């Protein structure tokens, strides 16, 4: 079992993404806390819009709950949009959200190391906040490149190694996980620092952008709601969000609790 939960296949294919609740709760807590930084799905769609022809074939790999999928459908108006994820539960959510908006798209359950798609199938591909689940992200990038037509564009998105590091110190200071600050970054496999190098193994990098996002958790309950969604820490406290919030309130300085994350975007093309 990997020391990094994001690289532990038992967790990735089990508790982390067996349902969509954890990811939905995590996203909601972060969106409530966010005070600075652009909308990631909008940014991705904008980066591709200038490079993707009308009526393009587009892949959203590691689509999660489909937020970026919906934005791609709206902004790019693709001829064919295929959302790919290894989690059947997340794909059901994506399919339902596409259906609710009337957007055209299909879903495919697959591992991004082995995409069940022909060579040169797409004009554009997105892989956002997913490649750090791979111990060999270069192989996943090779598979993305295989599925792109020559000249096809890819947007690969990840976070910095030190994203949310402030929360490591808060969790440790509260006595909830004495090793919080020494645990590996969830993003150690594919992060802002190696984004260019790994992308360039199989694609021609056109641009790399980094943007800092800032989050203020308004109170102990808000912070607790987020902490219950992250697998990084070993918090053994029982009693759920209420007990966690009570402990945080008792042991930490008054809120707000601030955290930062760098979101990094690579735009690249298949030679």
């Amino acid at each position: 079992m990997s020391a990094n939960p994001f690289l532990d296949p038992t967790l990735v294919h089990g508790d982390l993404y067996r349902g969509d609740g954890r990811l939905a709760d995590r996203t909601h807590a972060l969106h409530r806390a966010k005070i600075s930084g652009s909308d990631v799905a909008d940014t991705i769609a904008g980066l591709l819009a200038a490079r993707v022809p009308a009526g393009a074939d587009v892949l959203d790999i590691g689509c999660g709950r489909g937020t970026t999928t919906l934005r791609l459908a709206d902004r790019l108006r693709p001829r064919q949009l295929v959302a790919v994820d290894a989690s059947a539960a997340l794909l059901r959510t994506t399919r339902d959200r596409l259906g609710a908006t009337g957007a055209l798209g299909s879903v495919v359950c697959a591992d991004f190391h082995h995409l069940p798609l022909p060579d040169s199938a797409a004009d554009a591909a997105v892989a956002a906040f997913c490649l750090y689940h791979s111990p060999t992200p270069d192989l996943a990038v090779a598979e993305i490149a295989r599925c792109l037509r020559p000249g096809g564009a890819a947007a690969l998105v990840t976070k910095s190694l030190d994203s949310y590091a402030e929360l490591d110190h808060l969790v440790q200071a509260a006595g909830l996980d004495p090793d919080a600050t020494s645990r590996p970054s969830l993003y150690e496999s594919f992060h802002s620092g190696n984004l260019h190098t790994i992308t360039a193994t199989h694609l021609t990098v056109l641009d790399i952008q980094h943007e800092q996002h800032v989050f203020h958790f308004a109170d102990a309950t808000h912070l607790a709601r987020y902490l219950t969604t992250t697998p990084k820490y070993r918090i053994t406290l029982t009693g759920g969000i209420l007990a966690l919030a009570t402990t945080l309130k008792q042991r930490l300085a008054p809120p707000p609790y601030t955290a930062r994350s760098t979101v990094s975007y690579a735009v690249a093309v298949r030679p």
Side-chain angles (χ1 to χ4, degrees), residues 68-193:
T68 298
T69 312
L70 291 170
R71 212 63 54 87
L72 294 170
D74 179 64
R75 185 78 179 271
L76 302 184
R77 301 293 178 179
R79 182 181 71 87
Q80 179 174 247
L81 175 61
V82 179
V84 181
D85 205 283
S87 167
L90 295 180
L91 283 176
R92 283 193 294 271
T93 299
T94 297
R95 183 191 59 210
D96 291 346
R97 294 178 75 186
L98 284 168
T101 63
L104 297 179
S106 59
V107 299
V108 174
C109 192
D111 183 326
F112 51 42
H113 299 94
H114 306 286
L115 295 170
L117 301 167
D119 294 353
S120 303
D123 300 294
V126 172
F129 303 138
C130 62
L131 295 181
Y132 43 62
H133 285 302
S134 171
T136 54
D138 58 313
L139 299 184
V141 173
E143 188 68 346
I144 292 168
R146 179 188 67 78
C147 293
L148 284 172
R149 296 179 181 123
L156 310 183
V157 187
T158 190
K159 300 180 184 182
S160 61
L161 281 171
D162 62 353
S163 289
Y164 316 113
E166 297 89 347
L167 301 186
D168 299 350
H169 293 277
L170 289 177
V171 169
Q172 187 162 306
L176 295 166
D177 181 350
D179 300 315
T181 60
S182 60
R183 297 198 183 281
S185 170
L186 294 174
Y187 315 108
E188 65 177 336
S189 173
F190 186 72
H191 55 83
S192 301

Side-chain angles (χ1 to χ4, degrees), residues 202-220:
H202 298 285
L203 296 166
T204 300
V205 178
L206 301 180
D207 188 30
I208 299 282
Q209 297 181 23
H210 306 285
E211 181 183 44
Q212 187 178 81
H213 291 212
V214 181
F215 306 86
H216 278 186
F217 296 89
D219 52 43

